[in-house]
Amino acid sequence: MRVLITGGAGFIGSHVVAACREAGHEVRVLDALLPAVHPPYPDGPPGTEGVDVVVGDVRDADTVERCLDGVDAVCHQAAMVGLGIDVQDMPSYAGINDLGTAVLLAGMARAQVSRLVLASSMVVYGEGRYECPEHGVVPAAPRRRADLDAGRFEPPCPVCGAPLAWGEVGEDTPLDPRNTYAATKLAQEHLSAAWARSTGGGAVALRYHNVYGPHMPRDTFYAGVASIFRSALEAGRAPSVYEDGGQMRDFVHATDVARANLLALEADPPDAALRAYNIASGVPHTVGDMARALADAFGGPDPQVTGEYRIGDVRHVVASPARAGTELGHTAQVAFADGMREFATAPLRPAP
């Protein structure tokens, strides 16, 4: 199979490139090498040696058309990621993530490429699943600055105000994006589903949870929390843990995410216009647990819980990977403790 991997020079994309090549597939990479996350590469992007790399923007129709020539499937990793800095990032997120996806899908229709694997995210769920002892499963009440300023981080029941218990989110849960990045990832899913319905193609959306691993970008507003903590440790600083550190997440290794992409590419096309899968380890941990595990493996300094918050964050989001296991045969292989020990000393990408 010849696979076009957009964003294939990025952190996750480069792991997907490696997985596809090891499986014997021919790979072409399209990557804009945006300076916000990529430094100059005198010898080419790492992890793409021997690969046909096209440096260009997924929003450029002519570049996309050239990259799709002779391609059997597309693995769409290119995106602006993370919460960013503030709402002034909105045009960049919408342009790169949503316009870029639309241009790619239109090009795929013209080139009659009918297989798409989309890198989506758990952020499309917003807050996770919550249950009230009295009112059963309920949506979490919107977070209020007054509560967060007072250190009240747990969302209450919107009916009675009682504490809620968190649970696992399934792929059929109503989606509720809570920030700009989340809104653009959901729009990517909707665009992909519309393309599949119109063309008869098959689209799979892989909703990544908190991905970590070697070659994460260091010291950028657009990196995930694992990279931010790891960068702090390397600089001799204590990881700064927001809120009280009790935010529940699922940390999944980049090689497990790459293998999920490979399985999705090789699977039979879905019957539905778009089939979504949670890509997670299935073993959740708190953000504080992760900071502590990294600091212990690195040799300190100890994490500092700051009580600070970002209004666009969510408290708990943990999803079940059962559908991916049943339908794709995907089960995470890297245990949390092993992955954190490796990541504590693994190389990071240079700061741009």
Side-chain angles (χ1 to χ4, degrees):
M1 185 188 304
R2 181 177 293 172
V3 183
L4 172 64
I5 303 177
T6 70
F11 161 50
I12 296 175
S14 61
H15 285 278
V16 177
V17 168
C20 287
R21 295 186 74 192
E22 288 170 9
H25 299 302
E26 185 178 345
V27 170
R28 179 179 295 148
V29 165
L30 170 60
D31 201 301
L33 300 182
L34 296 175
V37 292
H38 290 280
Y41 298 121
D43 300 319
T48 60
E49 296 81 1
V51 172
D52 178 15
V53 177
V54 177
V55 178
D57 197 317
V58 74
R59 293 169 289 185
D60 182 76
D62 291 338
T63 300
V64 167
E65 182 175 356
R66 178 159 52 94
C67 289
L68 287 169
D69 183 40
V71 162
D72 302 302
V74 173
C75 193
H76 185 30
Q77 307 292 318
M80 188 171 180
V81 302
L83 285 183
I85 301 171
D86 56 33
V87 295
Q88 298 307 313
D89 277 333
M90 279 185 168
S92 295
Y93 275 102
I96 294 171
N97 295 357
D98 299 340
L99 176 60
T101 298
V103 171
L104 174 66
L105 293 169
M108 290 176 65
R110 291 192 300 273
Q112 298 184 343
V113 178
S114 61
R115 301 212 60 178
L116 172 70
V117 176
L118 170 69
S120 187
S121 172
M122 56 91 174
V123 296
V124 300
Y125 295 119
E127 288 283 357
R129 182 182 186 276
Y130 293 94
E131 188 166 353
C132 171
E134 181 177 353
H135 297 101
V137 176
V138 293
R143 305 187 95 189
R144 301 187 309 164
R145 288 187 184 274
D147 290 333
L148 299 173
D149 288 338
R152 295 188 294 269
F153 301 118
E154 294 291 343
C157 174
V159 180
C160 67
L164 299 175
W166 64 267
E168 291 185 336
V169 177
E171 287 88 348
D172 295 327
T173 299
L175 305 180
D176 182 24
R178 298 287 182 103
N179 55 59
T180 298
Y181 172 59
T184 63
K185 296 308 287 184
L186 181 54
Q188 285 186 312
E189 290 196 16
H190 288 324
L191 289 166
S192 299
W195 163 83
R197 292 188 190 97
S198 297
T199 65
V204 168
L206 302 180
R207 293 174 180 165
Y208 302 161
H209 281 248
N210 292 73
V211 187
Y212 72 97
H215 307 298
M216 288 192 84
R218 76 171 75 228
D219 292 328
T220 167
F221 287 107
Y222 305 97
V225 66
S227 174
I228 293 170
F229 289 171
R230 173 69 173 74
S231 297
L233 288 165
E234 192 167 281
R237 304 190 308 270
S240 294
V241 181
Y242 279 13
E243 301 183 18
D244 59 0
Q247 309 94 306
M248 193 63 68
R249 298 290 189 271
D250 188 304
F251 298 96
V252 58
H253 197 272
T255 56
D256 284 324
V257 172
R259 192 162 45 83
N261 277 271
L262 179 63
L263 290 168
L265 285 166
E266 295 178 340
D268 292 334
D271 293 332
L274 179 139
R275 189 67 167 164
Y277 297 97
N278 293 321
I279 303 303
S281 74
V283 184
H285 294 270
T286 67
V287 172
D289 288 340
M290 191 267 284
R292 169 60 61 187
L294 271 181
D296 287 349
F298 192 84
D302 292 339
Q304 293 182 350
V305 177
T306 68
E308 297 178 38
Y309 64 87
R310 297 184 296 185
I311 195 66
D313 277 341
V314 297
R315 180 61 178 175
H316 305 300
V317 55
V318 174
S320 168
R323 179 187 287 181
T326 300
E327 297 184 10
L328 296 179
H330 180 265
T331 302
Q333 302 296 309
V334 180
F336 177 80
D338 295 336
M340 288 297 158
R341 277 194 297 269
E342 176 211 40
F343 183 52
T345 56
L348 298 178
R349 291 191 176 219

